[in-house]
């Protein structure tokens, strides 16, 4: 109220309530939702900042179901239009993490040109692939019963995204981490595919998430990406490295 230059009477007048009501708010009472929204607009603050107790989903340990936009039995069940919408709607960052994800280009031929244009406009793109020569890839190949084809799929995916390697704002890295899920982040939305035993990529379950809280499920997967990104080896290898 001080930052917005309101006293109790002024705020009461602005949101059409009695001044005694405003004083009760200042003493700790939480207004009804419609009034909370009106006060937040007048003061230029968020409802969650003014009354954190009104948004338990934003508190540590709270129910984060509101961050789950959709759930799919298989990644292949995700509508192609959703992938296209997420990709075209991103403007700040796109973070991709998995063993190999050539399906993005295979099912969206416009993906590379679109990502190129977005990065040239200032977006950041980070792509983490598994190192095709690492032990975890051989283990995953065996687990998913892929018959030795996973290293080739990774190299194929790297080739698909090759035109992006020289684009400003693009970083590609190889990880050697045993993954438990893939993460595809588009600004404040994300597709996560938790891995199932002996299932291939398109068979894994999938969650469509949106970021609502710094303590939510979205933040947990975003942090996982950051943790793994810190371990990647830049691709292609810099001069003097192997």
């Amino acid at each position: 109220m001080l930052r917005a230059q309101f006293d109790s009477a002024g705020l009461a007048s602005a949101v059409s309530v009695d001044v005694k009501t405003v004083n009760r708010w200042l003493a700790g009472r939480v207004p009804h939702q419609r009034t909370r929204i009106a006060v937040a607009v007048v003061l230029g603050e968020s409802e969650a900042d003014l009354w954190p107790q009104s948004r338990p989903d934003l508190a540590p340990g709270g129910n984060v179901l509101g961050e789950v936009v959709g759930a799919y039995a298989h990644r292949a069940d995700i509508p192609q239009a959703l992938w296209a919408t997420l990709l075209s709607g991103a403007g700040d960052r796109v973070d991709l993490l998995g063993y190999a994800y050539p399906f993005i280009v295979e099912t969206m031929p416009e993906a590379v040109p679109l990502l190129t244009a977005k990065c040239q406009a200032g977006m950041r793109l980070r792509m983490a692939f598994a190192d095709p020569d690492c032990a975890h890839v051989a283990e995953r190949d065996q687990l998913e019963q892929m018959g030795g084809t996973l290293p080739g799929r990774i190299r194929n995916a790297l080739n698909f995204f090759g035109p992006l390697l020289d684009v400003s704002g693009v970083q590609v890295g190889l990880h050697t981490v045993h993954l438990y899920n893939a993460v595809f982040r588009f600004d404040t939305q994300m597709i996560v595919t938790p891995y199932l035993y002996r299932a291939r990529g398109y068979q894994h379950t999938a969650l469509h998430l949106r970021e609502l809280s710094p303590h939510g499920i979205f933040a947990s997967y975003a942090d996982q990406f950051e943790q793994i990104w810190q371990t990647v080896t830049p691709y292609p290898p810099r001069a003097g490295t192997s």
Side-chain angles (χ1 to χ4, degrees):
M1 288 169 62
L2 289 174
R3 282 195 297 270
Q5 298 183 344
F6 276 102
D7 59 12
S8 296
L11 181 59
S13 175
V15 296
S16 302
V17 299
D18 188 271
V19 66
K20 294 180 180 178
T21 300
V22 174
N23 290 332
R24 284 194 288 268
W25 298 342
L26 294 175
R29 179 172 296 184
V30 178
H32 295 299
Q33 184 182 41
R34 180 180 298 179
T35 307
R36 294 199 304 267
I37 294 172
V39 172
V41 170
V42 168
L43 297 182
E45 301 287 344
S46 73
E47 177 191 357
D49 285 341
L50 293 174
W51 293 284
Q53 64 271 45
S54 71
R55 289 292 305 274
D57 57 307
L58 298 184
N63 187 320
V64 296
L65 186 60
E67 291 196 327
V68 180
V69 180
Y72 302 88
H74 310 289
R75 191 194 70 198
D77 295 332
I78 299 175
Q80 189 57 37
L82 176 57
W83 286 109
T85 297
L86 292 174
L87 185 61
S88 62
D92 179 46
R93 67 164 67 183
V94 170
D95 293 330
L96 308 176
L97 167 66
Y99 282 91
Y101 31 90
F103 73 91
I104 291 180
V105 178
E106 291 170 338
T107 58
M108 289 187 289
E110 73 283 4
V112 169
L114 181 58
L115 287 169
T116 298
K118 286 180 173 292
C119 289
Q120 290 173 339
M123 191 185 80
R124 179 179 65 171
L125 169 63
R126 295 183 295 177
M127 297 185 290
F129 297 88
D131 184 333
D133 298 315
C134 78
H136 287 317
V137 166
E139 181 182 358
R140 173 59 58 176
D141 182 277
Q142 183 177 15
L143 184 64
E144 295 190 10
Q145 306 174 77
M146 298 182 68
T149 62
L150 182 54
R153 282 186 61 79
I154 296 172
R155 293 187 176 95
N156 195 35
L158 289 168
N159 182 59
F160 280 160
F161 288 103
L164 290 165
L165 293 176
D166 296 323
V167 177
S168 177
V170 175
Q171 294 177 279
V172 179
L174 301 180
H175 66 79
T176 59
V177 176
H178 190 117
L179 296 181
Y180 298 97
N181 51 261
V183 175
F184 307 99
R185 176 178 181 173
F186 307 88
D187 287 346
T188 58
Q189 297 192 68
M190 178 186 293
I191 299 291
V192 174
T193 58
Y195 290 154
L196 301 176
Y197 181 62
R198 287 187 175 176
R200 298 190 180 184
Y202 67 92
Q203 297 172 313
H204 297 311
T205 58
L207 297 174
H208 177 194
L209 306 175
R210 59 177 173 174
E211 183 180 22
L212 293 180
S213 165
H215 311 291
I217 188 172
F218 183 101
S220 295
Y221 282 114
D223 180 67
Q224 178 182 252
F225 178 92
E226 297 298 338
Q227 294 292 329
I228 294 175
W229 184 255
Q230 292 177 17
T231 74
V232 302
T233 300
Y235 178 86
R238 299 189 182 97
T241 64
S242 58

